[in-house]
Amino acid sequence: MNTALRAALLKLVNAEGGLVSASALTVSQQSALDAFSQRTGAVQQQRSGRGRVYRIVRPGIVEQHLAELSPLAGTTPDDTLPARAANMGHTRSSKGRAHGHDQYYLLLKARRQPQWQHDQGHTLDLNAQTQTQGAGVLAISPTAEAIWRTQSPIWLVENQALFDRTDWLPGSEAISLAWYSGHLRNHLIDWLAQQKNSTITLFPDYDGVGLQNYLRLKQQLGPRARFWLMPDWHQKLQRFGSNSLWQDTQREFRAAVQGLEGLLDEEPELKHLIETMQSLGLALEQEAIWL
């Protein structure tokens, strides 16, 4: 109710003459204004042609309530504030409105010597950082004009165990292993799309979320995005798969399969995985790689 009332009052305060058509408000905002009007008498509803309008009749009360709901309402926006701080000023909650952070910090490990270079000429010795610190980190910003780039493959895993212990990695080429948690951030996908000379291999949990993450990568990266299937995945799915994980990610699974429909003929192994998951009613977590 507070969210709807705050939005409705802001529309009224910012409207010329403090007059807003009901059609310019959502149903929840109209309901909130009706309740506010009955409680305070600060806003009135009246007929206007074939419609209805709301108007402010006691501006002092409206301003008082708006200040309680949105402390920074009416002030000049400060673009230097972090998004969550600005949200607190406008909604009393850091998660109000758009609440993503401006930067995303990506943890990376090196195998062999992947080469990283910044657009401004700097180099990153990720191999040395991995050996001395255990991992390296890159700050990724969607507004950055210059970024770090690599021509070496990047692998993505979503569970920390596979980032901590990397003996499962196939092949021997130089790669960068990146760890994310849950859903891939838009910042990260946009940044990966800028790695024009690098293949991006996703090794997720075999569940709805993992498939949805792959769909989002594929939509942005096209053929550079690859889905990795662990050896003997069919046997592992049958023996160690989880029905509860399958059930919990059904909504994401259905959406991902629908989005991937036109691509699956080009990826028969992934299509086979999806069909097998459907027939067994099972999903599989990454850690099965060691079993």
Side-chain angles (χ1 to χ4, degrees):
M1 178 65 75
N2 282 349
T3 300
L5 180 58
R6 178 175 56 249
L9 291 180
L10 282 170
K11 287 181 179 180
L12 274 171
V13 168
N14 293 324
E16 185 177 351
L19 198 71
V20 170
S21 169
S23 62
L25 302 169
T26 66
V27 173
S28 60
Q29 289 169 1
Q30 292 179 46
S31 297
L33 271 186
D34 290 339
F36 179 72
S37 176
Q38 292 174 4
R39 190 171 70 252
T40 67
V43 172
Q44 283 185 355
Q45 179 192 146
Q46 61 189 49
R47 301 293 301 180
S48 177
R50 295 184 178 181
R52 298 175 298 128
V53 295
Y54 290 89
R55 68 185 183 92
I56 298 173
V57 293
R58 302 176 69 181
I61 293 178
V62 170
E63 291 173 4
Q64 177 186 347
H65 278 77
L66 189 54
E68 292 173 359
L69 294 169
S70 181
L72 292 184
T75 63
T76 302
D78 185 351
D79 295 335
T80 66
L81 288 175
R84 292 196 174 203
N87 288 346
M88 289 183 66
H90 288 285
T91 69
R92 295 184 181 270
S93 171
S94 66
K95 297 178 177 61
R97 308 193 305 176
H99 58 268
H101 293 289
D102 293 334
Q103 291 198 107
Y104 174 74
Y105 294 92
L106 180 65
L107 284 176
L108 293 163
K109 276 188 174 181
R111 184 178 70 181
R112 296 187 179 270
Q113 294 280 354
Q115 302 298 312
W116 284 90
Q117 186 153 357
H118 195 268
D119 289 340
Q120 294 178 340
H122 312 299
T123 59
L124 171 69
D125 192 338
L126 183 59
N127 192 62
Q129 290 193 355
T130 301
Q131 291 179 359
T132 59
Q133 302 160 210
V137 62
L138 291 179
I140 297 170
S141 171
T143 59
E145 295 181 0
I147 68 168
W148 288 98
R149 301 180 192 273
T150 183
Q151 296 188 24
S152 302
I154 300 174
W155 281 59
L156 302 169
V157 293
E158 66 173 289
N159 295 331
Q160 185 176 334
L162 283 90
F163 188 76
D164 292 339
R165 178 175 158 180
T166 60
D167 56 346
W168 59 270
L169 276 167
S172 59
E173 64 183 332
I175 69 164
S176 298
L177 179 65
W179 172 41
Y180 67 98
S181 180
H183 294 273
L184 285 169
R185 301 286 185 88
N186 290 332
H187 287 4
L188 177 56
I189 294 177
D190 291 342
W191 178 80
L192 290 170
Q194 294 177 284
Q195 305 298 319
K196 301 295 186 181
N197 298 313
S198 177
T199 58
I200 311 299
T201 300
L202 180 71
F203 176 29
D205 289 335
Y206 301 161
D207 63 4
V209 173
L211 288 170
Q212 196 170 67
N213 279 330
Y214 183 60
L215 171 62
R216 294 169 60 216
L217 273 180
K218 202 72 175 173
Q219 289 172 332
Q220 282 274 65
L221 278 63
R224 290 195 299 112
R226 301 174 181 177
F227 189 100
W228 191 68
L229 289 163
M230 69 180 82
D232 302 320
W233 64 263
H234 191 283
Q235 291 79 6
K236 293 180 189 297
L237 179 64
Q238 285 185 305
R239 187 174 182 187
F240 305 112
S242 167
N243 178 257
S244 61
L245 180 59
W246 163 257
Q247 295 291 345
D248 289 345
T249 61
Q250 268 300 288
R251 180 174 60 85
E252 293 87 352
F253 181 88
R254 288 192 294 268
V257 171
Q258 182 178 3
L260 288 166
E261 187 175 4
L263 305 171
L264 289 179
D265 288 340
E266 301 173 5
E267 301 188 49
E269 281 297 307
L270 177 58
K271 184 177 182 179
H272 185 28
L273 169 68
I274 290 172
E275 291 173 345
T276 305
M277 291 170 64
Q278 289 173 315
S279 65
L280 297 176
L282 296 174
L284 186 67
E285 294 178 274
Q286 287 178 307
E287 288 85 352
I289 187 71
W290 287 296
L291 298 176

